Amino acid sequence: MNGNHRQLKRTAALAAVLLLFLFLCWGLWATGFFQVVHSPQGMQDYIRQFAPYSHLVFFLLQLISVIVAPIPSNLTTVAGGLLFGCWVSFLITTAAVILGSIIVFQLSRRLGQTFAQRFISGKAWERYGDMIRRKRDIFLFLAFLFPFFPDDLLCIMAGLTEIPFRRFLFLVLLGRPWGLLVSAAVGSSVMTIPWWGMALLGVGGAALFLGILRYGDRIEEAIMNRLKDPKAEEIS
């Protein structure tokens, strides 16, 4: 009886989440967002039209991008940088992305595989599922750090693992803000990066990523050995 009641509650919660997803997507479509999503200037104009609530709309837009909509947070952050400046855009986006990451993680953890399968394709499971199980912490950190990974989907997948919530939150705080800071800086013209600089950053980042994945266990073991207290070893 308790099992059936628990399953019924999960089904109702999942249905509510899916209805919210449909409602928010409809709202974005009705207000013309999807027509401008690929243009930072277009998104800037879209957000500006809601003044004097532009900051709130920008926060909600960034939050929605994590929870329900396939909206690139880095691109919307560039638009925010154009509109609000570097630090305001960065702080609003970081708060929204962290909150969104927590929400999708908890939804996945509480609603389980049924919820996750609604948002993650079989191809994504095949590509990242084994890696997130075997190299969980270090893979999540690197995926959050580099902008070419589906961070939001990985937050959902992380909810299905045994990672403690506090550790997940620590990895989010440690890895996700940096790409958002770069996007906000580029959008506000605080920083400009030429194409060859972006290429070098991409190649260097990919090399670092592959190297850490390959030798991550050895690096972690070496660091742990360095951190061991010699006095504690003598006592034992």
Side-chain angles (χ1 to χ4, degrees):
M1 187 69 177
N2 290 335
N4 292 335
H5 182 65
R6 190 179 299 112
Q7 183 61 36
L8 184 61
K9 289 179 64 176
R10 289 188 176 184
T11 302
L14 179 59
V17 170
L18 292 176
L19 286 174
L20 177 63
F21 167 76
L22 293 174
F23 174 76
L24 292 175
C25 286
W26 174 83
L28 291 173
W29 174 81
T31 54
F33 176 79
F34 290 115
Q35 283 75 21
V36 301
V37 68
H38 300 295
S39 166
Q41 183 61 49
M43 283 192 288
Q44 180 185 2
D45 295 336
Y46 174 86
I47 296 167
R48 185 187 286 117
Q49 70 178 321
F50 295 99
Y53 306 106
S54 300
H55 292 80
L56 176 61
V57 169
F58 180 62
F59 174 83
L60 293 175
L61 187 62
Q62 297 294 66
L63 182 64
I64 292 170
S65 74
V66 179
I67 300 174
V68 296
I71 305 168
S73 297
N74 288 315
L75 187 59
T76 49
T77 305
V78 171
L82 287 168
L83 189 58
F84 303 121
C86 175
W87 291 109
V88 173
S89 173
F90 168 68
L91 291 174
I92 292 176
T93 300
T94 300
V97 166
I98 290 173
L99 178 59
S101 300
I102 293 171
I103 291 173
V104 296
F105 176 86
Q106 293 291 0
L107 284 173
S108 180
R109 174 146 294 181
R110 295 179 183 279
L111 299 179
Q113 193 85 16
T114 305
F115 166 79
Q117 288 177 342
R118 295 294 188 278
F119 296 92
I120 303 175
S121 65
K123 187 175 181 180
W125 282 111
E126 183 178 344
R127 177 174 296 180
Y128 301 114
D130 183 61
M131 185 64 70
I132 203 172
R133 283 190 296 269
R134 292 191 299 110
K135 302 273 188 178
R136 188 187 66 194
D137 291 13
I138 195 166
F139 174 71
L140 284 174
F141 168 69
L142 291 173
F144 291 154
L145 185 63
F146 295 113
F148 41 80
F149 285 91
D151 300 0
D152 307 329
L153 295 184
L154 292 175
C155 289
I156 297 175
M157 297 177 73
L160 300 178
T161 70
E162 296 179 355
I163 185 172
F165 170 71
R166 289 185 180 180
R167 185 179 301 174
F168 168 79
L169 181 58
F170 174 75
L171 294 173
V172 169
L173 292 171
L174 193 64
R176 296 207 72 172
W178 302 107
L180 302 175
L181 178 59
V182 172
S183 298
V186 170
S188 62
S189 300
V190 170
M191 177 175 62
T192 57
I193 303 176
W195 68 267
W196 55 266
M198 294 295 292
L200 288 176
L201 285 174
V203 171
L208 178 63
F209 178 79
L210 293 174
I212 292 180
L213 278 183
R214 183 169 183 178
Y215 302 106
D217 294 338
R218 299 181 190 178
I219 295 172
E220 182 179 357
E221 184 178 356
I223 293 174
M224 292 299 293
N225 288 334
R226 287 277 186 178
L227 293 176
K228 284 182 179 178
D229 187 353
K231 294 182 179 180
E233 290 185 350
E234 291 177 3
I235 293 174
S236 59

